[in-house]
């Protein structure tokens, strides 16, 4: 779906229509003020007519107060529309992002998506607000002041007609230079954000490895690039206003000089000169306003493009039109010559085949980066396979409804997170209707019951953002508990007991075997001890499957497995 602004504006048509009208009235008050001032100078002062001066002055004050009121009303309308539209767009971006699959998130990065939802939407907001405030006022003042100036003295006005093209030329020069830069500004902003985020979330690692200096330099580089693009944009944009002022002021000087000559010969009054200069100032002010508006539109153009990119993203993983739901039984799973590549260049998993019978326990082992997580992430379809196919009960995994598949397959990812709330709210994540017995059962099986019941509020205890008020091992156990609520048909633990001591790890596996008797279980681990009871063990080595079999067979036939085993059992 393409990103279009009109449907969003529709909802706010009243403030959108009224704002410019209010501003128009304000502009009228601006336009008549110089005439009144001229009256005071030309008639009031020479005649010494105090009453006249006071009356006109009061009228000027009243008119300007009314104008002020209109200005406030317009401001309100502009805020209502701009922030309202901003809120609606952000909501839609957010709901779009939640539909994206892991590959799109990899490609666009979380920070770039965040920047789009925040900065680019803010840019659209600014444009809408500014439009409401200037769309009627600036052109009206420009035309009105020009006509008024012409009425006062057509010859002097010609000075302005001559100056106009100069202003336009400068203006288009600046636009031509800055236009392409705005896209760069945003890309560089994304870079800075990404480096910042990476550093902040990994800041303990950075410190532990004494990599601060290195990381600071990396940040500096991104930051410097960002600065340089901004300076370029700034340089070009900053010449606009001073040159504009210079040109306008030179014109004013010329007006005063030529006007003074005319006053001397009686062609112009002093008041007329004053109001003429007032109109000139208003002309230049409205020119600046229009210039700003156009610059904002250009910037907004690049922001709209970036928002549109989010709108146009099609999740690569989604349910087919006539996708079917899974039957309510434990299915057979088959990987048939499955290969997967993140970038299309190198395979993270190569030509992998296995049949997993209902209720089997499968172990997956291999060094870091060998493709273990890649393999298990294919089952809940976080990614689509690149080659080959995964069959569930003989049918391609893609023919099943995604919701139903993910209800079936419960995975504890390698870096699991808890959400802020309570332990209970976290446990009910998969199944909001889970009974309290079920939750207790999950806590017991995941070896969490002990430390949860020791807390004063038990299961109602607070969980802070990311679960940081729990230790690594406690977090792992709670995420396992969360995964087994709702009785999944397939349970995947991706290195989920790495922070547990051997005894707890052992108890955990025993309990899971008892509680989830029929469930197919896939355990990824770096430790042979954690998986040696498995019916089948898959041994991975840089994306290649170098062995499949049970513990004893592998000890005899698979060298990689034997090496891992020996290194851990010396
Ligand atoms: P393991 O879980 O065995 O440690 P992974 O399955 O996480 O290994 O990674 C296998 C390979 O794929 C590694 O070389 C890793 O660098 C690469 N990889 C993992 N995740 C991504 C990703 N999101 N984008 C690109 N490459 C990735
Ligand atoms: Mg992994």
């Amino acid at each position: 779906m393409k990103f279009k602004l009109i449907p969003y504006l529709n909802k706010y048509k009243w403030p959108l229509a009224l704002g410019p009208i209010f501003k128009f009235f304000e502009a009228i008050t601006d336009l008549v003020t110089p005439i009144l001032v001229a009256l005071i100078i030309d008639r009031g002062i020479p005649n010494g007519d105090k009453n006249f001066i006071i009356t006109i002055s009061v009228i000027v004050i009243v008119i300007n107060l009314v104008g002020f009121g209109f200005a406030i009303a317009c401001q309100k309308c502009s805020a209502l529309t701009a922030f309202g539209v901003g809120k609606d767009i952000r909501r839609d971006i957010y709901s779009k992002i939640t539909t994206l699959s892991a590959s799109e998130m990899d490609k666009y990065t979380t920070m770039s998506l965040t920047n789009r939802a925040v900065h680019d939407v803010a840019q659209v907001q600014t444009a809408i607000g500014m439009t409401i405030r200037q769309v009627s006022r600036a052109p009206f003042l420009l035309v009105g002041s020009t006509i008024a100036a012409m009425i006062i003295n057509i010859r002097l006005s010609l000075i302005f007609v001559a100056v106009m093209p100069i202003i336009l030329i400068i203006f288009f020069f600046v636009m031509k230079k800055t236009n392409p830069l705005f896209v760069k500004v945003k890309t560089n902003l994304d870079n800075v954000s990404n480096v910042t985020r990476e550093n902040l979330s990994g800041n303990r690692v950075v410190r532990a490895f004494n990599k601060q200096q290195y990381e600071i330099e990396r940040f500096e580089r991104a930051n410097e690039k960002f600065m340089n693009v901004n300076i370029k944009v700034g340089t070009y944009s900053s010449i606009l206003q001073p040159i504009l002022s210079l040109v306008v002021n030179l014109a004013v000087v010329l007006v005063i000089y030529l006007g003074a000559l005319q006053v001397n010969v009686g062609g112009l009054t002093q008041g007329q000169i004053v109001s003429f200069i007032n109109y000139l100032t208003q002309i230049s002010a409205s020119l600046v306003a229009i210039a700003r508006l156009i610059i904002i539109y250009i910037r907004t153009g690049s922001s709209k493009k970036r928002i549109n990119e989010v709108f146009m993203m099609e999740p690569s993983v989604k349910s087919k039109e006539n996708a079917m739901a899974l039957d309510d039984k434990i299915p057979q799973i088959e990987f048939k010559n499955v290969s997967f590549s993140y970038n299309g260049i190198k395979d993270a998993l190569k030509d992998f085949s296995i049949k997993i019978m209902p209720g089997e326990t499968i172990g997956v082992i291999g060094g870091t980066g060998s493709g273990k997580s890649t393999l298990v992430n294919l089952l809940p379809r976080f990614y689509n396979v690149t080659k080959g196919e995964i069959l569930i009960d003989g049918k391609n995994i893609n023919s099943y409804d995604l919701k139903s598949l993910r209800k079936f397959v419960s995975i504890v990812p390698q870096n699991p997170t808890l959400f802020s709330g309570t332990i209970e709210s976290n446990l009910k994540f998969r199944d909001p209707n889970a009974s309290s017995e079920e939750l207790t059962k999950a806590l017991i099986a995941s070896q969490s019951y002990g430390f949860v019941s020791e807390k004063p509020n038990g299961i109602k205890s607070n969980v802070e953002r990311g679960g940081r008020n729990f230790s690594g091992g406690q977090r792992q156990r709670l995420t396992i508990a969360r995964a087994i609520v709702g009785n999944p048909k397939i349970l995947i633990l991706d290195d989920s007991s790495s922070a547990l001591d051997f005894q707890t790890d052992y108890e955990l596996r025993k309990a899971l075997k008892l509680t989830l008797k029929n469930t197919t279980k896939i355990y990824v681990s770096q430790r042979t001890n954690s998986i040696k009871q498995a019916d089948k063990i898959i041994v991975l080595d840089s994306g290649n499957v170098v062995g499949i079999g049970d513990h004893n067979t592998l000890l005899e036939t698979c060298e990689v497995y034997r090496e891992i085993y020996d290194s851990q059992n010396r």
Side-chain angles (χ1 to χ4, degrees):
M1 185 188 55
K2 215 168 140 57
F3 170 59
K4 290 211 184 78
L5 204 49
I6 306 283
Y8 286 101
L9 292 169
N10 244 340
K11 194 169 148 193
Y12 303 91
K13 38 181 181 289
W14 280 110
L16 185 67
L18 285 177
I21 296 176
F22 290 145
K23 204 66 182 187
F24 183 75
F25 287 130
E26 192 220 348
I28 295 179
T29 66
D30 282 348
L31 203 59
V32 294
T33 307
I35 301 175
L36 296 172
V37 173
L39 276 179
I40 294 178
I41 297 173
D42 287 347
R43 266 200 237 153
I45 295 175
N47 302 341
D49 189 343
K50 247 191 187 162
N51 276 341
F52 181 78
I53 296 176
I54 291 174
T55 320
I56 300 288
S57 303
V58 170
I59 293 177
V60 169
I61 292 171
V62 170
I63 282 183
N64 278 283
L65 279 179
V66 172
F68 183 59
F70 279 123
I72 291 179
C74 168
Q75 195 71 35
K76 173 92 185 173
C77 292
S78 116
L80 269 177
T81 317
F83 292 113
V85 169
K87 185 196 86 186
D88 295 347
I89 299 177
R90 271 194 301 273
R91 178 201 57 211
D92 289 351
I93 292 185
Y94 185 75
S95 56
K96 181 78 192 197
I97 291 177
T98 55
T99 69
L100 297 180
S101 29
S103 2
E104 284 86 53
M105 298 299 270
D106 285 351
K107 187 165 154 213
Y108 281 92
T109 74
T110 357
M111 272 336 273
S112 175
L113 291 171
T114 315
N115 283 341
R116 286 162 208 252
V118 178
H119 294 285
D120 290 306
V121 173
Q123 183 64 43
V124 173
Q125 261 171 215
T126 312
I128 295 173
M130 187 89 167
T131 305
I132 294 178
R133 275 173 277 138
Q134 294 295 353
V135 74
S136 63
R137 181 192 151 90
F140 173 73
L141 273 187
L142 180 65
V143 174
S145 300
T146 311
I147 293 174
M150 282 177 162
I151 291 174
I152 294 174
N153 191 303
I154 190 94
R155 290 240 304 274
L156 285 185
S157 314
L158 288 181
I159 297 175
F160 241 74
V161 177
V163 165
M164 218 56 111
I166 304 179
I167 293 176
L168 284 181
I169 289 170
I170 299 169
F171 189 65
F172 280 109
F173 168 76
V174 171
M175 284 210 310
K176 214 174 157 215
K177 287 284 178 194
T178 46
N179 273 6
L181 288 175
F182 287 125
V183 182
K184 276 199 188 158
V185 168
K186 286 288 154 61
T187 337
N188 279 289
L189 174 68
D190 285 351
N191 283 346
V192 172
S193 312
N194 274 326
V195 177
T196 312
R197 190 184 107 111
E198 204 177 7
N199 267 310
L200 291 184
S201 48
N203 92 335
R204 280 186 217 172
V205 182
V206 173
R207 259 182 273 159
F209 286 91
N210 271 322
K211 279 288 186 190
Q212 287 100 324
Q213 199 49 41
Y214 173 80
E215 286 300 326
I216 288 172
E217 278 160 22
R218 198 161 76 100
F219 179 78
E220 275 291 85
R221 277 197 298 276
N223 202 16
E224 200 144 306
K225 263 196 186 160
F226 183 47
M227 175 186 80
N228 287 337
V229 192
N230 272 311
I231 287 181
K232 254 195 199 160
V233 172
T235 316
Y236 285 122
S237 311
S238 66
I239 59 172
L240 192 60
Q241 214 144 335
I243 292 194
L244 223 53
S245 303
L246 182 71
V247 173
V248 169
N249 283 324
L250 282 179
V252 168
V253 171
L254 210 60
V255 166
I256 292 176
Y257 175 71
L258 295 176
L261 293 183
Q262 288 198 31
V263 170
N264 288 341
V265 298
L268 260 179
T269 65
Q270 288 168 350
Q272 278 174 328
I273 291 273
V274 171
S275 58
F276 193 86
I277 291 173
N278 268 331
Y279 284 125
L280 287 195
T281 329
Q282 273 183 8
I283 290 174
S284 73
S286 35
L287 273 178
V288 170
I290 292 174
R292 281 226 195 100
L293 202 56
I294 293 177
I295 289 180
I296 283 182
Y297 283 159
I298 292 167
R299 288 190 190 205
T300 309
S302 80
S303 285
K304 268 176 76 181
K305 238 191 229 150
R306 279 163 56 91
I307 295 174
N308 189 42
E309 276 171 3
V310 181
F311 272 65
M312 298 295 278
M313 281 180 202
E314 274 296 323
S316 55
V317 174
K318 59 179 178 199
S319 297
K320 278 195 186 149
E321 289 269 316
N322 45 10
M324 46 187 162
L326 281 139
D327 309 334
D328 199 31
K329 65 174 180 36
I330 316 266
Q332 178 194 313
I333 305 163
E334 183 176 1
F335 283 74
K336 223 170 157 182
N337 306 103
V338 170
S339 293
F340 178 79
S341 164
Y342 286 100
N343 46 21
I345 305 166
K346 197 172 152 278
D347 280 344
L349 186 67
K350 273 175 244 156
D351 199 21
F352 168 60
S353 299
I354 194 177
K355 240 188 207 163
I356 301 173
M357 295 301 156
E360 269 187 332
T361 301
I362 305 293
V364 182
I365 197 164
T368 31
S370 58
K372 305 185 294 295
S373 299
T374 306
L375 179 121
V376 292
N377 283 338
L378 293 175
L379 259 187
R381 269 188 85 196
F382 288 155
Y383 295 91
N384 287 329
V385 302
T386 314
K387 256 189 247 147
E389 56 180 347
I390 299 175
L391 304 170
I392 294 185
D393 277 340
K395 295 204 185 71
N396 192 302
I397 194 170
N398 298 351
S399 56
Y400 291 103
D401 175 56
L402 210 52
K403 263 206 190 121
S404 138
L405 177 72
R406 294 199 177 148
K407 214 175 142 199
F408 254 63
V409 183
S410 184
I411 184 168
V412 181
Q414 187 158 16
N415 300 307
T417 31
L418 294 169
F419 294 91
S420 42
T422 61
I423 295 180
E424 186 180 18
S425 71
N426 270 283
L427 291 184
K428 287 189 168 177
F429 214 68
R430 266 174 61 79
D431 182 5
N433 304 318
S435 65
S436 64
E437 290 87 67
E438 219 174 322
L439 301 188
T440 311
K441 209 176 91 182
L443 285 175
I444 294 174
S446 65
Q447 312 298 305
S448 322
Y449 191 75
F451 73 84
V452 171
S453 52
E454 270 168 25
K455 295 204 166 259
N457 295 326
I459 196 168
K460 304 266 185 216
S461 303
N462 264 344
V463 175
E464 284 173 26
R465 191 165 49 85
R468 58 193 166 162
N469 55 334
F470 290 91
S471 78
Q474 291 174 334
R475 242 188 339 249
Q476 282 189 335
R477 280 176 277 172
L478 285 176
T479 49
I480 294 172
R482 176 175 66 194
I484 58 185
V485 170
N487 253 324
K489 305 283 188 274
I490 300 162
L491 176 71
I492 302 171
L493 305 189
D494 188 353
D495 220 357
S496 307
S497 53
S498 55
L500 304 185
D501 57 82
F502 289 121
Q503 184 61 29
T504 315
D505 188 15
Y506 172 75
E507 301 287 346
L508 170 74
R509 266 159 236 289
K510 212 169 71 180
L512 287 180
K513 198 169 176 179
L514 270 174
T515 326
L516 301 170
K517 243 188 265 92
N518 303 319
T519 302
T520 304
K521 302 173 204 71
I522 303 178
Y523 296 143
V524 173
S525 180
Q526 311 253 19
R527 310 203 281 235
T528 46
N529 271 331
S530 305
I531 52 163
K532 78 180 175 202
Q533 310 287 346
D535 299 310
K536 283 177 200 148
I537 299 168
I538 303 164
V539 189
L540 289 171
D541 186 25
S542 39
N544 295 304
V545 183
V546 291
I548 295 181
D550 63 16
H551 177 70
N552 291 327
T553 321
L554 286 174
L555 271 187
E556 276 171 29
T557 58
C558 180
E559 203 185 315
V560 177
Y561 187 76
R562 198 167 44 235
E563 273 169 19
I564 300 175
Y565 180 80
D566 285 345
S567 71
Q568 292 173 0
N569 291 282
R570 262 195 282 259

